[in-house]
Amino acid sequence: MYTMLNNQESSKYDLYLPGKLVAALHYKLEAEESEIMLIYCEAIETEEAAHHCTELMRLAAEDVKSRRLKLTITCPIALKFMEMGKICRSTAAVSSRMVHDDQVSSAAGQNQLNVPQ
């Protein structure tokens, strides 16, 4: 069973299986704007890395939703899972709007998921 901890001191979500860290999702929190930016995801445990990252993205999206934060994603792995519909499957109330680089050049490589207030 997975456990996700919000390591605020290091600005990352850490995903654990009993006794070991298996993945981490680094973020930048802009408290004044109530916004969190997912920067990159890394699989520490390479066995089943895709499954670990999928679970980490799902849990992080649930946390963002519960905290009513606007979510900006620059992490290519997170974007991949978003496009495959894996992140928001269990958070059906999340309304997503993707702003792709080729659509808006001012997005500077960022894509956004707006979480309803």
Side-chain angles (χ1 to χ4, degrees):
M1 174 171 227
Y2 287 108
T3 302
M4 184 186 76
L5 298 176
N6 184 356
N7 184 341
Q8 294 177 345
E9 189 173 297
S10 297
S11 298
K12 64 180 182 165
Y13 291 108
D14 290 326
L15 187 70
Y16 293 89
L17 282 174
K20 67 179 177 179
L21 178 66
V22 294
L25 177 59
H26 299 260
Y27 65 80
K28 180 178 179 184
L29 179 64
E30 297 290 340
E32 292 178 11
E33 287 109 33
S34 296
E35 180 177 7
I36 190 167
M37 180 186 302
L38 301 182
I39 300 169
Y40 72 93
C41 181
E42 61 180 324
I44 288 90
E45 179 64 43
T46 57
E47 189 175 314
E48 297 191 44
H51 184 69
H52 298 323
C53 289
T54 300
E55 185 66 13
L56 181 55
M57 296 299 169
R58 185 186 68 76
L59 293 170
E62 287 177 1
D63 183 64
V64 168
K65 178 184 172 199
S66 72
R67 294 169 58 193
R68 297 182 180 262
L69 297 172
K70 182 170 70 172
L71 177 59
T72 301
I73 300 175
T74 61
C75 172
I77 295 170
L79 292 173
K80 175 184 169 187
F81 288 110
M82 289 277 308
E83 289 169 354
M84 291 170 36
K86 291 186 175 183
I87 290 179
C88 297
R89 185 181 317 160
S90 67
T91 55
V94 174
S95 166
S96 64
R97 180 177 64 87
M98 301 296 287
V99 181
H100 292 280
D101 297 337
D102 58 344
Q103 294 172 325
V104 181
S105 60
S106 64
Q110 297 177 3
N111 292 290
Q112 290 190 343
L113 170 68
N114 295 321
V115 179
Q117 300 296 317

